[in-house]
Amino acid sequence: MTTGSRGGLEIRELEAFLVLADELHFGRAGERLYVSQSRVSQLLRSLEGRIGAPLVERTSRRARLTPLGEEFLAELRPAYGALRAAVDHARSTARGTGGVLRIGFQGVIDDHLATAIAGFEQRCPDHAVELAEIPLADPFGPLSRREVDAAVVLLPVEEPDLVLGPTFSRQPQVLAVSPRHPFAEKDSVTAEDLAECSLIGIRGAAPAYWRRAQAPDTTPGGRHIPRGPAASTLQEGMGLAAAGRGGMLLCRSTAQHQGSRNSVVFVPVTGLPESVLGVIWHAEHGTPQARAFAEAIAHR
């Protein structure tokens, strides 16, 4: 990619757009990029100037991709992933030995995962670990596009070309709702109570079975659960919950991490299956390092 001209593209601008598309919030995007909110806005304006049209709609509280932004994002992700893979391969070749293990993750990096990463680094000291957050709307795509070597995702995983390794972090589910929601005053709700609450779903490339598992359409007793709006990222879902558009199911550790950053209330839900994470890698182009990381998870 060329730089320095009006028609060229700057890598930093593309990175800022990708992170902003995940967060839909300039402040949080700046935190992830280790730059100021104004710098993220500046990079986005520069990118939009090169393209010639807005990619993001800005409001006082949040950001939203324009139709062109959605189209650009869908085309940019695989191209950017291929570019990163090429750089990683060149880096590994230059070292002669060792390499890079790219680990994708959903939600937060809890103690179990952090310890497993440290264990892998002890087993394979000649390998660097790079972490990449996987969009909620596309849990399996980064592996298929070779953007990551292994991924930690919410179950279930039924993709025929992916290998499911060890599972871990079994946790009860909680419901994120607005402080004004009728459930906000309750100590807990049951799975059957969800028939009285619209659930925020997930849109995007995620398979239908996976989306239903994260936002079921019926209770265990068979009662219909109203469908709320759909979100493509965790932060978008939290924003919808805070705005009173519905409730969003989360695992407890993600709720604890999100609690200080969003104006929502987390209500425990009884009677639902536990939330479970699993390590996955691609059946055809899985690496020994990905399997070594899975072993580190299993022996945590």
Side-chain angles (χ1 to χ4, degrees), residues 18-204:
L18 287 169
V19 173
L20 182 60
D22 286 343
E23 296 290 343
L24 295 178
H25 189 282
F26 283 86
R28 289 192 292 268
E31 290 176 5
R32 282 181 52 182
L33 292 166
Y34 300 101
V35 299
S36 66
Q37 179 175 331
S38 60
R39 177 57 176 160
V40 176
S41 183
Q42 180 186 29
L43 289 167
L44 178 65
R45 284 197 302 270
S46 179
L47 177 60
E48 290 175 328
R50 296 174 191 277
I51 290 176
L55 299 173
V56 177
E57 294 179 359
R58 302 159 177 83
T59 68
S60 59
R61 297 195 176 190
R62 59 194 297 267
R64 182 174 63 183
L65 296 183
T66 64
L68 177 61
E70 294 277 7
E71 181 180 346
F72 182 56
L73 176 65
E75 296 179 352
L76 176 61
R77 280 201 192 281
Y80 183 78
L83 177 61
R84 288 290 302 273
V87 172
D88 291 343
H89 177 74
R91 187 184 300 167
S92 299
T93 302
R95 287 176 177 159
T97 59
V100 176
L101 174 66
R102 297 164 300 169
I103 302 173
F105 68 96
Q106 285 186 312
V108 300
I109 297 179
D110 61 10
D111 179 66
H112 190 124
L113 181 53
T115 302
I117 292 171
F120 170 82
E121 291 175 329
Q122 290 178 348
R123 292 186 183 192
C124 305
D126 57 341
H127 278 72
V129 173
E130 293 186 355
L131 298 173
E133 187 173 0
I134 294 177
L136 189 66
D138 192 17
F140 309 129
L143 270 176
S144 298
R145 296 189 296 267
R146 300 195 181 191
E147 296 171 6
V148 297
D149 304 303
V152 176
V153 299
L154 287 164
L155 269 55
V157 177
E158 300 176 5
E159 305 306 289
D161 57 345
L162 300 182
V163 177
L164 175 60
T167 60
F168 65 103
S169 192
R170 295 180 176 272
Q171 297 184 37
Q173 297 194 61
V174 300
L175 185 69
V177 295
S178 163
R180 300 175 298 280
H181 193 280
F183 287 177
E185 299 295 327
K186 295 180 178 291
D187 293 331
S188 66
V189 295
T190 70
E192 297 302 316
D193 291 332
L194 296 180
E196 310 300 326
C197 173
S198 297
L199 278 188
I200 296 169
I202 299 171
R203 68 167 179 265

